[in-house]
Amino acid sequence: MAELASEVVEEEEHYLRVQMPRGPVEIIGNEVHLPGHQGIRLAPGPMSVMRVLVKAQGAVISRDHLLRMLPHCGSLHGLEMWVSRLRHSLPETHIVQTVVKRGYRLAL
């Protein structure tokens, strides 16, 4: 079971900071800053997925829940494409984990 972060700071939609076990994760505009890595620019779709996963603080988020949170995604296929693009944009693809039969989680 993922341990909840002790601190979540969000200011409107352009800034989000969550303290995770491996260090802080920050989203500033269209860049995500991961512990030990430089800022990474993300396209709007993958960034939307990243925001939901960061706010979940390591908890598993189902595909259905993601589709409800991201109505502009359009379909399960669209969501899977956004997750794939997010993984390929990050320095380590395992940061976004698939939990079989359950959904996705952020592994930080």
Side-chain angles (χ1 to χ4, degrees), residues 17-105:
R17 183 180 194 277
V18 176
Q19 184 64 40
M20 301 289 280
R22 285 181 42 194
V25 175
E26 287 185 302
I27 295 176
I28 304 169
N30 64 350
E31 283 191 0
V32 63
H33 298 263
L34 302 171
H37 298 283
Q38 296 289 333
I40 303 150
R41 271 186 198 268
L42 296 175
M47 178 58 84
S48 297
V49 174
M50 187 67 175
R51 276 187 174 283
V52 173
L53 294 176
V54 168
K55 288 178 185 178
Q57 304 173 35
V60 176
I61 303 296
S62 72
R63 288 173 181 84
D64 288 339
H65 183 76
L66 278 167
L67 285 170
R68 284 193 303 275
M69 296 293 294
L70 307 169
H72 53 284
C73 180
S75 68
L76 184 56
H77 176 72
L79 176 63
E80 290 169 353
M81 292 303 300
W82 283 4
V83 169
S84 176
R85 289 179 184 143
L86 173 59
R87 281 185 173 133
H88 287 92
S89 298
L90 298 176
E92 303 169 36
T93 59
H94 71 273
I95 289 173
V96 177
Q97 292 182 334
T98 299
V99 180
V100 178
K101 304 272 186 194
R102 293 191 52 214
Y104 301 103
R105 70 182 291 271

